[in-house]
Amino acid sequence: EADIYQTPRYLVIGTGKKITLECSQTMGHDKMYWYQQDPGMELHLIHYSYGVNSTEKGDLSSESTVSRIRTEHFPLTLESARPSHTSQYLCASRGPRAEAFFGQGTRLTVV
Amino acid sequence: KQEVTQIPAALSVPEGENLVLNCSFTDSAIYNLQWFRQDPGKGLTSLLLIQSSQREQTSGRLNASLDKSSGRSTLYIAASQPGDSATYLCAVLYTGANSKLTFGKGITLSVRP
């Protein structure tokens, strides 16, 4: 069983608010990822990290930012939420066997 | 361009049928291939991981095979059940891909009682 957790699971927030989506893993994995997925659509990589103090932009341009101060924690922040940010955000980490594990996701709705 | 293709996009079968889901990739220089299951509104659950040096992996009613030379992987589901209804995604870790997985768009499976 993978130990990777995302909070909150659901979030409804007003336009212009600042939000942080949390992702934590207890497996000691160096590599962590954030994906964005609209309902019924494919996954898009928006950020990833090789380890502490490492962050990279993914394949899909995103107005969000990430930080990696601790190995186990990889939060994603939106400084000013807009309706176009409404989506599901999935966090993942990858282990030494290179097996990837995903959290349950955060479904964000910006009204 | 390194891509992953899953066809068809959707599949509906009667309960009890054995079925095969296909995944194609464009470059044989892969590190590994992973199959996931995703239920609506949820995250991805890892089903099977196949390293590039392996030919197949098995877990319960699931068997995944890998043929690098032809750029193909198959996920075999034996004696399908309604609880198997979900979207199945294939993801490839290409060598030199800066640790990024390349995902297919998934196959949505419906198993009819």
Side-chain angles (χ1 to χ4, degrees):
Chain A
E1 191 73 21
D3 294 322
I4 179 164
Y5 307 100
Q6 290 186 242
T7 57
R9 285 278 289 120
Y10 303 93
L11 180 62
V12 180
I13 199 162
T15 297
K17 298 291 187 182
K18 177 180 179 180
I19 58 171
T20 296
L21 308 184
E22 302 288 348
C23 177
S24 295
Q25 50 95 5
T26 59
M27 298 171 283
H29 292 168
D30 286 326
K31 297 174 178 63
M32 295 189 73
Y33 309 82
W34 275 104
Y35 292 86
Q36 185 174 342
Q37 185 184 35
D38 293 327
M41 303 298 285
E42 62 192 293
L43 288 150
H44 293 286
L45 180 68
I46 52 175
H47 297 284
Y48 61 106
S49 168
Y50 293 116
V52 171
N53 295 325
S54 154
T55 61
E56 303 285 343
K57 290 189 180 296
D59 303 321
L60 181 70
S61 175
S62 173
E63 294 167 345
S64 58
T65 58
V66 292
S67 62
R68 191 85 183 277
I69 299 172
R70 304 197 317 264
T71 297
E72 61 271 22
H73 196 212
F74 191 39
L76 181 144
T77 298
L78 277 166
E79 291 292 333
S80 180
R82 294 208 300 267
S84 61
H85 297 138
T86 294
S87 189
Q88 175 160 254
Y89 294 84
L90 293 166
C91 179
S93 70
R94 196 156 62 79
R97 284 182 60 238
E99 184 172 9
F101 296 99
F102 279 76
Q104 284 297 299
T106 294
R107 183 169 296 280
L108 173 66
T109 302
V110 183
V111 298
Chain B
K1 183 180 176 183
Q2 294 170 328
E3 296 179 333
V4 176
T5 303
Q6 293 184 256
I7 296 172
L11 186 62
S12 179
V13 300
E15 182 177 3
E17 189 164 300
N18 301 324
L19 58 102
V20 172
L21 306 181
N22 293 306
C23 171
S24 301
F25 46 94
T26 53
D27 188 341
S28 62
I30 71 170
Y31 190 73
N32 62 45
L33 184 146
Q34 194 168 354
W35 282 93
F36 293 90
R37 167 186 173 138
Q38 185 175 30
D39 293 295
K42 301 288 182 62
L44 278 66
T45 300
S46 177
L47 297 174
L48 289 165
L49 172 72
I50 310 178
Q51 303 291 352
S52 64
S53 58
Q54 298 173 320
R55 296 282 293 178
E56 64 178 332
Q57 283 287 331
T58 298
S59 176
R61 294 183 294 109
L62 305 179
N63 175 276
S65 68
L66 176 64
D67 184 343
K68 287 193 305 178
S69 61
S70 66
R72 291 185 59 193
S73 175
T74 60
L75 179 67
Y76 175 83
I77 302 176
S80 59
Q81 304 169 358
D84 294 329
S85 298
T87 297
Y88 291 82
L89 293 105
C90 165
V92 173
L93 183 63
Y94 286 104
T95 56
N98 293 328
S99 299
K100 295 187 289 183
L101 286 168
T102 301
F103 280 88
K105 294 183 178 182
I107 299 173
T108 299
L109 173 66
S110 174
V111 181
R112 307 186 301 271

